[in-house]
Amino acid sequence: SFFTTSPRHPGVHLLETVSPALTPLPSAPLQDIRNTVGNIPMEWYQDFPHIGYNLEGKKIYKPIRNKDELDMFLEKMENPDYWRTVQDKMTGADIKLTDEQVDLVHRLQKGQFGDVHFNPYEPAVDFFTHEVMIHPVTNRPADKRSFIPSLIEKEKVSKLVHAIKMGWIKPRKPKDDTPTYYDLWAHEDPNSILGRHKMHVPAPKMKLPGHEESYNPPPEYLLSEEEKLAWEQQEPAERKLNFVPQQYRCLRAVPAYSRFIHERFERCLDLYLCPRQRKMRVNVDPEDLIPKLPKPRDLQPFPTTQALVYRGHTSLVRCLSISPSGQWLVSGSDDCTVRFWEVCTARCMKTLPVGGVVKSVAWNPNPTICLVAICVDQSVLLVNPCLGDKLLYGATDQLLESYVAPEEERVQPVQWVTATMEEHSKGVRLVVQHSKAVKQVTWHGKGDYFASVVSDNSNMQVLIHQTSKRWSQNPFRKSKGLVQCVLFHPIRPYFFVATQRYVRVYNLLKQELTKKLMTNCKWVSSMAIHPGGDNIICGSYDSKLAWFDLDLSTRPYQLLRHHKKALRSVAFHKHYPLFASGSDDGTVIVCHGMVYNDLLQNPLLVPVKVLKGHAMTLDLGVLDVLFHPTQPWVFSSGADGTIRLYT
Amino acid sequence: TRRLCILKGIYPHEPKHKKKVNKGSTAARTFYLLKDIKFLLHEPIVNKFREYKVFVRKLRKAYGKSEWSTVDRLKDNKPSYKLDHIVKERYPTFVDALRDLDDALSMCFLFSTFPRTGKCHVQTIQLCRRLAVEFLNYIIASRSLRKVFLSIKGIYYQAEVLGQPVTWITPYTFAHDHPTDVDYRVMATFTEFYTTLLGFVNFRLYHSLNLLYPPKIDGQADVELKPAEGKEYAMDSESYLEKLSALSASLARVVAPTHEDEVEMDEFPVEGETAEQMDARKKEQEALEKHKKLFEGLRFFLNREVPREPLAFIIRCFGGQVSWDKSLCIGATYDVSDPSITHQIVDRPRVEQQVVGRYYLQPQWVFDSVNAKLCLPVVDYFPGVLLPPHLSPFVTEQEGDYVPPEKLKLLAMQRGENPDEESEEEEEEEEEEEDENDKEEEEEEDESEKEEEMKLKKMEEQKTQSNKALPVKVTAGKLRLEDKQRLEQEQQSEEKRLAIMMMKKREKYLYKKIMFGKKRKVREANKLAAKRKAHDTAVKEEKKKSKKARRA
């Protein structure tokens, strides 16, 4: 029968099997309530008031269980035999286990035999001795089949024989008796190298350790706190050292390196997974890379030192121009004035307030005319500065006054207005009024025509004016982009128009486009032409200077990246083989640009001097550069309101 | 295929035109040569691998059906393969094999320290151990060890085997903390090949010295060793390997050892070699011979706390005699109490019961002496003394590199000078000067630019001043002494700058890169020097303080 020991300690349940023979029922003599239902699951009686039938066939009723939790607890506390009380599942009665029964349970729990008297370690008795007896154990005569060859065996053997005949079963392979190691390279022939080995790239050896890997390195190789922190924050692949240098006082203190196996494994991976390539290490002396150029000393003359500073303007000086004689300098500034200077003394001869920001000034290149064109807002002023030879500027005035208006009024894109008396006293002679703001003006070499650039998007961007006839015309029918600047060819009837990325060359006589130069720049800022007329330089805002040889190609012959910031202006010298560029980084770089008459020889460009002097203002440095017409001098005007002369 | 690639030494190639090969895309891909892959196809070992696969399948089937006789039969016919021909193919000449020995040795030494459980086959570990020990014995016999280095990763050795430098690293003898992110199968495949290679190399090397292979311990030494240890070691084969690995006995030779030392090399004057070069070569040879006999006549005793194997190996490589405690390892030849011991290697802070007549030294002395090619003064290496830094022998400083002061001292010592304190200081001063020079060079360009600006500014100021103070006062002009040299230098530097402006884009890039590299090198050297200086001053101050404290 099954017993459930009631928990000795709360929470611990044990289930044991006790054989019925060993459990004399304590209540049997008093009242025989043996259940006769047999070995059935007792849940079948769950819903009935009785639990089975006794020997007489009467129902055995379940004992009344009206104990609640409190009663149970009190009984547990008070009844000293509570721990040895179990419920008989068959009858539902509580049974108190006897001492023997408790003992039995204990033994079973320990895995011992139930019977106390059973001895598991009895001395062994050798029933069948190892000694050979003279008499057989059985006296049975041998079978007949032990004398007859077995058919089954025969069948098996014949199968094996057949398999051997057919080659299905092979004899055991003879043991390979060559020694494991022998002289492999006994007959080595260096010429027998396979073709594959010619392509072979041997794996580079591992880097040998430096001082920092020592267990006791010099103290300077140990990482400081910050370096250690930086090391930890770096990606493992980026680290220069793959370990932290450490110092140990003695060899005994050195621990095992935890990444040793990792490192060997990574080496293995490198050996069979890492692509190999032969790389030619550039073993060049950096001095050899520097091109051998003629010494600047041999290319003199060129401006080397700052000689004069022209002070007077209060705001950035945007533009400069010089009289053909080289005696006078005119400058236009953001402080709405135009100043005339004497070159040699740096004296301001005259100040002309114009009432607007001066974008461009241009002195008439004709030495017999004394006239300056000035761009102010929407108009171009033609000013007689009244400097120098009185005869000369008197003649200029006469020339301007000798104009006779034509009979019929022609339609013009601009208006020509004679200056008022007040203006006349200041020196203004004519005002050419445009419809939009004018940003550049440039004279033709003869001094009669001049061109102006209007900041506009239409085809009216470029206008060509004739001073003597007071007559303007618009040469282009279509706009080809935002015009940056224009230029007349010094000798031939060509006209250069620089848009943002291209320079177009027009023939004025034939009225057609002759060339389109690709500047390879993002945004052209300025342009200058060699006095010979075959070479052009273009400065751009992306700090490049492009030198074009018009005979050679429409692409730049050379692209110079000397400046660190945007180029504002470039200029050629009239006689000397010099050109200069001024940039926002506050420097003027003077280069030697020799053009040879021989067509086979390419121009020689050598930078000869970096001129510094202008202070940086509003992130602007040099705004205009200009060469003296006869001397190897260069003027530069800067954002700091000064003009400087370098000689 | 992975296994095959490892064994055959096939590796990917980086194509010359990556884009072209990759059909226009620049994604990262690995490229193998077509030839290599075709070459793999014709390898006879591929069939062996297939056979083995079939064998495993059959065996599994037989086990599943519990056909034990079939299992036995299959096991008898277990297919095996050999890598001999692959070794021969990959290294057509012996020198090729020696060149590639570094990784093989490092791997074998690592595997020989693995535990005999898990990770890989016990046979592999035993084989690795055997080959490693054989190689060490060869190095001892040929005395070809050159450099040793105690790093935090392990111990580096460099030997010169038949003119080829062979470098390997052994881990410190601790149990390995086996990482989980390592594929041991890859390593095992490599090891399989490396053991084959090393075996053949060992064979050849032993024969080049007329030694028996597999190595036998020299008869006399064997007899001496046997009676003591004979009882403890039941298996002869085991004790054989252990005795061999004790590295204490010399090896048996095929031919009785003649006095080969006496045979002087005939001198063959190489064509085109001047007398000076010959002399230099001769000197080098002599120095080498001297280095080989560094510890000749010295008797060492290793205390039980020092790593026995590396030290015994190094000492024996340079002709010293070495022994250790009998209970530590087999093969001890003499006892602590032996009065003839000259050096005892100790790695504990203090030694009680010092025996008169021998030096007690820390193990670093052995390593530093080997690297310095002379027996260093023992004072710095007494037990408990703060050791001098252990420098790497693999670094050869070029011009402009940072040289630690200890190295300078060592170089002076090698030249035969006696470095006193004074010279030390001088050296330090010199170094400082050098550093300053470097800095000057760096700043020179900037300075010259700055100077020009300054000049211009000054001139301007002067002008403005003169403008302002109209009543012009003529002060006595100062005679300006213009340093002609300086001027010339400035001019030259300017010329150089202008020339650099005219460089082509590509060349300019290259030039800038080279210059950047150079500057970085200088910067690093300066940084190290500054660190050292700071450290030295700190140490000095501390000393002063402690002195003051002592006085007070």
Side-chain angles (χ1 to χ4, degrees):
Chain A
S1 60
F2 298 91
F3 290 95
T4 316
T5 52
S6 56
R8 277 176 231 164
H9 308 287
V12 181
H13 291 266
L14 294 168
L15 187 86
E16 280 111 18
T17 322
V18 180
S19 72
L22 287 165
T23 52
L25 295 167
S27 54
L30 299 173
Q31 191 190 353
D32 196 12
I33 49 161
R34 256 181 289 173
N35 202 348
T36 56
V37 287
N39 194 9
I40 56 153
M42 293 308 291
E43 304 85 92
W44 291 354
Y45 284 91
Q46 213 171 13
D47 298 333
F48 297 99
H50 62 283
I51 202 165
Y53 306 92
N54 62 11
L55 291 174
E56 282 105 51
K58 298 267 175 64
K59 281 178 181 170
I60 304 172
Y61 288 96
K62 285 179 186 168
I64 300 150
R65 297 235 166 228
N66 51 4
K67 285 179 190 168
D68 56 3
E69 289 279 316
L70 197 61
D71 288 330
M72 296 267 273
F73 179 72
L74 284 176
E75 198 193 342
K76 186 173 162 189
M77 287 284 121
E78 285 162 4
N79 189 1
D81 292 332
Y82 179 78
W83 62 273
R84 59 162 71 182
T85 314
V86 295
Q87 191 194 355
D88 187 356
K89 259 192 185 170
M90 289 293 276
T91 57
D94 282 343
I95 300 162
K96 209 173 96 187
L97 298 184
T98 58
D99 281 349
E100 293 89 59
Q101 283 169 333
V102 170
D103 262 359
L104 180 67
V105 170
H106 280 296
R107 274 204 303 281
L108 289 177
Q109 272 180 338
K110 281 181 194 160
Q112 291 166 347
F113 286 97
D115 189 0
V116 190
H117 308 293
F118 181 72
N119 180 12
Y121 306 111
E122 274 177 10
V125 182
D126 207 2
F127 293 108
F128 300 98
T129 61
H130 56 278
E131 290 155 23
V132 181
M133 307 274 190
I134 48 165
H135 299 294
V137 180
T138 60
N139 207 8
R140 192 158 164 265
D143 279 330
K144 185 188 175 188
R145 62 174 179 268
S146 62
F147 301 106
I148 306 169
S150 159
L151 272 177
I152 300 169
E153 266 177 23
K154 187 186 167 196
E155 208 170 287
K156 273 186 181 169
V157 168
S158 69
K159 256 187 189 171
L160 283 176
V161 168
H162 182 64
I164 289 168
K165 267 187 193 165
M166 298 302 286
W168 298 333
I169 297 178
K170 276 172 205 139
R172 217 166 267 161
K173 272 178 207 156
K175 280 267 181 272
D176 195 8
D177 56 348
T178 51
T180 19
Y181 299 123
Y182 51 93
D183 195 357
L184 190 68
W185 293 280
H187 313 285
E188 75 182 21
D189 179 12
N191 299 327
S192 72
I193 296 167
L194 291 176
R196 208 174 70 84
H197 281 92
K198 282 170 196 156
M199 293 281 289
H200 179 61
V201 186
K205 294 196 170 184
M206 280 187 94
K207 215 183 130 217
L208 289 171
H211 297 313
E212 61 275 357
E213 208 182 307
S214 165
Y215 86 103
N216 182 15
E220 61 268 31
Y221 286 97
L222 294 172
L223 296 185
S224 63
E225 287 300 317
E226 302 125 49
E227 283 169 328
K228 218 177 266 181
L229 207 68
W231 187 89
E232 271 160 20
Q233 278 166 357
Q234 267 177 333
E235 288 283 312
E238 278 176 4
R239 287 172 187 163
K240 216 171 166 197
L241 297 174
N242 55 3
F243 57 92
V244 182
Q246 263 162 333
Q247 192 169 27
Y248 299 98
R249 284 210 60 226
C250 53
L251 187 59
R252 196 177 30 141
V254 183
Y257 183 59
S258 60
R259 290 194 55 81
F260 194 91
I261 297 178
H262 273 114
E263 261 177 28
R264 291 292 357 140
F265 178 61
E266 271 158 28
R267 171 70 177 170
C268 289
L269 290 189
D270 280 353
L271 281 178
Y272 93 103
L273 284 181
C274 198
R276 296 185 197 170
Q277 186 183 34
R278 266 184 211 283
K279 277 222 165 141
M280 303 309 273
R281 183 168 277 275
V282 190
N283 197 5
V284 196
D285 184 13
E287 300 301 319
D288 294 347
L289 288 173
I290 299 173
K292 293 278 166 288
L293 293 174
K295 291 232 160 117
R297 223 176 308 155
D298 309 336
L299 302 174
Q300 271 167 351
F302 55 82
T304 51
T305 49
Q306 179 176 276
L308 289 173
V309 182
Y310 302 77
R311 286 170 194 282
H313 282 294
T314 52
S315 185
L316 25 140
V317 186
R318 276 194 190 275
C319 44
L320 287 176
S321 187
I322 194 160
S323 71
S325 60
Q327 197 181 356
W328 314 105
L329 180 73
V330 59
S331 65
S333 157
D334 270 14
D335 58 3
C336 306
T337 58
V338 173
R339 283 175 187 257
F340 294 89
W341 314 82
E342 194 178 11
V343 169
C344 306
T345 57
R347 240 182 95 194
C348 180
M349 303 299 291
K350 211 172 168 189
T351 309
L352 180 68
V354 289
V357 172
V358 182
K359 288 280 174 61
S360 167
V361 291
W363 203 297
N364 195 321
N366 191 339
T368 60
I369 300 173
C370 183
L371 204 59
V372 179
I374 301 168
C375 292
V376 181
D377 289 342
Q378 301 195 352
S379 51
V380 175
L381 309 179
L382 293 182
V383 174
N384 188 346
C386 302
L387 292 171
D389 195 353
K390 201 167 182 183
L391 271 176
L392 205 69
Y393 65 76
T396 311
D397 275 347
Q398 277 179 6
L399 191 77
L400 287 175
E401 278 156 16
S402 65
Y403 165 73
V404 185
E407 291 90 49
E408 47 190 292
E409 195 73 19
R410 286 187 295 186
V411 183
Q412 291 199 22
V414 295
Q415 272 193 318
W416 290 74
V417 181
T418 327
T420 58
M421 283 308 287
E422 194 192 341
E423 285 174 336
H424 195 277
S425 63
K426 283 190 202 161
V428 182
R429 297 294 180 263
L430 283 170
V431 180
V432 186
Q433 286 178 340
H434 293 65
S435 52
K436 294 260 173 67
V438 187
K439 62 181 181 188
Q440 198 216 344
V441 62
T442 178
W443 286 96
H444 183 255
K446 293 267 169 57
D448 194 15
Y449 290 93
F450 69 93
S452 62
V453 180
V454 177
S455 38
D456 186 8
N457 238 344
S458 69
N459 59 337
M460 301 272 282
Q461 282 185 90
V462 182
L463 296 169
I464 294 178
H465 315 275
Q466 193 177 8
T467 324
S468 56
K469 291 185 180 162
R470 299 195 183 176
W471 145 248
S472 308
Q473 55 182 339
N474 173 19
F476 300 118
R477 237 172 286 137
K478 253 203 253 168
S479 150
K480 287 276 171 61
L482 209 58
V483 176
Q484 299 299 311
C485 54
V486 295
L487 202 63
F488 284 102
H489 194 282
I491 307 156
R492 266 168 286 174
Y494 287 132
F495 189 58
F496 300 88
V497 178
T499 53
Q500 272 184 23
R501 310 194 57 166
Y502 306 104
V503 176
R504 290 187 170 77
V505 186
Y506 294 95
N507 190 330
L508 288 174
L509 279 184
K510 290 183 189 166
Q511 302 207 331
E512 63 179 16
L513 179 73
T514 44
K515 246 175 208 168
K516 187 174 152 191
L517 308 178
M518 263 55 102
T519 60
N520 288 359
C521 305
K522 292 272 156 53
W523 197 314
V524 172
S525 66
S526 53
M527 177 169 62
I529 185 157
H530 190 263
D534 280 342
N535 295 280
I536 285 185
I537 51 175
C538 274
S540 79
Y541 288 119
D542 49 349
S543 61
K544 287 183 209 161
L545 188 146
W547 173 291
F548 291 95
D549 194 332
L550 293 181
D551 298 332
L552 209 65
S553 141
T554 59
R555 296 204 169 269
Y557 159 64
Q558 218 162 9
L559 211 57
L560 309 175
R561 293 180 188 80
H562 295 171
H563 286 286
K564 292 189 180 72
K565 283 190 181 168
L567 264 81
R568 287 278 165 183
S569 141
V570 289
F572 263 115
H573 198 280
K574 279 242 166 62
H575 304 294
Y576 292 106
L578 291 174
F579 64 91
S581 54
S583 151
D584 277 353
D585 57 7
T587 59
V588 174
I589 294 181
V590 180
C591 301
H592 177 89
M594 189 62 172
V595 177
Y596 299 96
N597 286 332
D598 181 6
L599 283 177
L600 291 174
Q601 202 163 2
N602 285 328
L604 170 75
L605 309 182
V606 183
V608 288
K609 189 72 191 170
V610 179
L611 298 168
K612 290 173 185 170
H614 284 287
M616 298 286 288
T617 328
L618 302 169
D619 259 358
L620 295 174
V622 180
L623 293 176
D624 201 2
V625 289
L626 182 72
F627 274 106
H628 192 274
T630 50
Q631 300 292 328
W633 300 345
V634 69
F635 299 91
S636 69
S637 71
D640 54 352
T642 59
I643 303 160
R644 284 156 202 260
L645 169 66
Y646 303 92
T647 56
Chain B
T1 43
R2 183 177 67 193
R3 210 159 140 208
L4 209 58
C5 278
I6 293 172
L7 292 177
K8 295 279 280 181
I10 304 282
Y11 45 86
H13 284 259
E14 188 75 11
K16 262 186 188 165
H17 304 285
K18 203 162 186 189
K19 230 172 163 184
K20 215 187 260 178
V21 182
N22 212 354
K23 285 167 192 156
S25 106
T26 47
R29 282 174 72 183
T30 44
F31 297 95
Y32 288 88
L33 289 184
L34 192 66
K35 218 181 188 178
D36 282 349
I37 301 301
K38 278 186 182 160
F39 174 70
L40 279 187
L41 286 179
H42 298 296
E43 178 54 43
I45 209 162
V46 178
N47 285 331
K48 293 279 170 73
F49 283 157
R50 286 190 190 129
E51 260 174 43
Y52 194 80
K53 227 163 86 183
V54 171
F55 160 74
V56 170
R57 205 166 57 213
K58 277 183 183 165
L59 198 67
R60 204 184 303 134
K61 209 170 171 184
Y63 266 117
K65 289 182 176 173
S66 6
E67 292 172 350
W68 306 120
S69 60
T70 324
V71 169
D72 287 344
R73 185 169 51 80
L74 283 171
K75 273 188 178 169
D76 275 348
N77 285 339
K78 183 180 172 182
S80 65
Y81 58 90
K82 282 191 161 183
L83 300 173
D84 308 5
H85 64 285
I86 295 183
V87 172
K88 178 82 201 235
E89 187 184 85
R90 276 178 68 172
Y91 306 109
T93 59
F94 183 54
V95 178
D96 290 334
L98 283 181
R99 261 182 220 143
D100 234 10
L101 210 58
D102 290 13
D103 292 313
L105 279 171
S106 298
M107 203 66 154
C108 277
F109 275 99
L110 171 66
F111 263 67
S112 62
T113 59
F114 274 178
R116 306 285 166 96
T117 50
K119 297 306 169 205
C120 54
H121 295 293
V122 179
Q123 290 95 319
T124 319
I125 295 169
Q126 275 169 347
L127 182 63
C128 280
R129 174 76 189 150
R130 203 191 101 201
L131 291 170
V133 166
E134 282 170 7
F135 186 75
L136 290 185
N137 271 308
Y138 164 76
I139 296 286
I140 290 174
S142 65
R143 295 209 178 170
S144 48
L145 192 68
R146 293 289 171 270
K147 289 167 181 174
V148 282
F149 178 50
L150 288 166
S151 124
I152 52 174
K153 294 180 180 174
I155 305 175
Y156 285 90
Y157 302 91
Q158 190 173 53
E160 201 177 293
V161 182
L162 305 182
Q164 295 290 334
V166 176
T167 317
W168 71 96
I169 179 174
T170 59
Y172 288 114
T173 45
F174 289 103
H176 289 286
D177 180 16
H178 282 288
T180 48
D181 52 343
V182 163
D183 190 352
Y184 278 92
R185 281 176 303 170
V186 172
M187 300 244 284
T189 316
F190 268 102
T191 313
E192 191 181 0
F193 177 74
Y194 285 153
T195 47
T196 321
L197 170 66
L198 196 57
F200 285 118
V201 169
N202 276 348
F203 186 92
R204 174 92 181 203
L205 287 176
Y206 271 75
H207 279 251
S208 72
L209 281 189
N210 277 335
L211 294 171
L212 283 175
Y213 189 90
K216 290 233 167 54
I217 293 167
D218 205 3
Q220 294 174 346
D222 207 18
V223 172
E224 279 173 27
L225 285 176
K226 225 165 196 172
E229 269 79 38
K231 297 161 206 164
E232 291 166 39
Y233 287 86
M235 284 181 58
D236 214 26
S237 60
E238 255 178 47
S239 77
Y240 156 72
L241 186 60
E242 289 200 21
K243 269 180 215 159
L244 200 63
S245 61
L247 304 170
S248 62
S250 51
L251 302 175
R253 287 173 192 261
V254 178
V255 187
T258 53
H259 294 280
E260 79 251 57
D261 310 17
E262 312 325 319
V263 181
E264 282 238 339
M265 286 280 281
D266 290 339
E267 285 175 14
F268 297 104
V270 181
E271 258 181 71
E273 203 176 50
T274 60
E276 280 177 29
Q277 278 171 322
M278 283 247 292
D279 274 357
R281 214 165 52 127
K282 215 173 171 185
K283 254 185 198 170
E284 216 171 81
Q285 200 70 31
E286 276 171 17
L288 189 66
E289 286 302 319
K290 213 176 147 195
H291 187 205
K292 277 183 185 172
K293 291 174 184 169
L294 183 65
F295 295 144
E296 201 111 308
L298 302 183
R299 280 165 84 82
F300 288 83
F301 188 83
L302 306 180
N303 255 21
R304 55 171 61 249
E305 71 272 9
V306 298
R308 188 197 64 81
E309 196 178 295
L311 276 169
F313 169 59
I314 293 166
I315 292 166
R316 292 254 302 131
C317 268
F318 293 95
Q321 278 178 296
V322 65
S323 180
W324 46 84
D325 197 89
K326 222 192 297 176
S327 60
L328 184 66
C329 182
I330 193 172
T333 43
Y334 46 86
D335 206 37
V336 207
S337 51
D338 195 330
S340 61
I341 291 172
T342 56
H343 295 74
Q344 185 164 349
I345 309 296
V346 169
D347 198 3
R348 47 179 86 173
R350 207 172 56 224
V351 183
E352 277 112 25
Q353 298 175 348
Q354 294 204 350
V355 179
V356 183
R358 66 176 79 160
Y359 293 119
Y360 287 85
L361 294 172
Q362 298 206 38
Q364 196 188 320
W365 180 82
V366 176
F367 290 84
D368 280 352
S369 297
V370 166
N371 291 339
K373 301 183 182 177
L374 48 94
C375 285
L376 290 173
V378 289
V379 190
D380 298 338
Y381 298 92
F382 284 148
V385 168
L386 188 69
L387 290 167
H390 180 58
L391 297 174
S392 163
F394 301 111
V395 182
T396 46
E397 275 91 356
Q398 270 140 12
E399 217 182 302
D401 286 351
Y402 172 73
V403 187
E406 287 85 8
K407 178 107 180 186
L408 289 174
K409 229 199 266 177
L410 186 72
L411 288 174
M413 219 188 285
Q414 278 172 348
R415 264 179 266 128
E417 295 163 22
N418 211 9
D420 294 326
E421 291 295 305
E422 286 176 347
S423 64
E424 218 176 282
E425 276 171 25
E426 272 176 18
E427 269 166 16
E428 273 175 26
E429 274 167 28
E430 275 175 20
E431 220 176 78
E432 279 161 28
E433 273 171 32
E434 272 172 30
D435 294 342
E436 275 165 23
N437 284 343
D438 287 347
K439 275 176 202 165
E440 268 177 28
E441 272 167 37
E442 260 182 86
E443 286 164 11
E444 211 164 284
E445 285 186 13
D446 301 335
E447 265 179 29
S448 58
E449 279 172 23
K450 275 180 197 166
E451 266 173 33
E452 256 178 46
E453 268 176 40
M454 288 287 283
K455 267 188 199 167
L456 288 176
K457 268 187 192 168
K458 265 187 197 167
M459 278 164 73
E460 250 179 59
E461 275 170 26
Q462 280 172 2
K463 244 169 237 168
T464 49
Q465 276 173 4
S466 61
N467 280 355
K468 277 174 196 168
L470 262 181
V472 184
K473 219 182 186 179
V474 180
T475 48
K478 275 179 198 166
L479 193 71
R480 267 208 298 190
L481 279 174
E482 283 196 337
D483 195 355
K484 263 194 179 172
Q485 244 186 343
R486 172 130 203 147
L487 262 179
E488 204 160 296
Q489 240 180 17
E490 259 174 45
Q491 205 170 3
Q492 271 179 359
S493 68
E494 196 186 338
E495 271 170 27
K496 198 172 153 191
R497 246 177 300 140
L498 289 172
I500 288 167
M501 282 200 321
M502 276 308 280
M503 272 156 83
K504 274 177 204 154
K505 207 173 166 188
R506 243 169 82 188
E507 284 178 354
K508 206 183 209 167
Y509 174 73
L510 186 65
Y511 179 80
K512 279 191 176 161
K513 228 168 134 183
I514 294 173
M515 290 319 264
F516 177 77
K518 276 190 172 175
K519 274 189 183 167
R520 189 180 50 192
K521 226 177 182 180
V522 170
R523 210 165 49 228
E524 271 169 13
N526 286 342
K527 198 175 153 197
L528 283 177
K531 252 175 145 180
R532 179 65 185 221
K533 212 175 160 188
H535 179 264
D536 284 353
T537 49
V539 168
K540 261 183 199 171
E541 270 181 23
E542 217 160 84
K543 263 186 195 170
K544 268 185 196 171
K545 265 187 197 170
S546 62
K547 259 187 195 173
K548 270 183 192 172
R550 243 181 266 160
R551 271 178 208 164

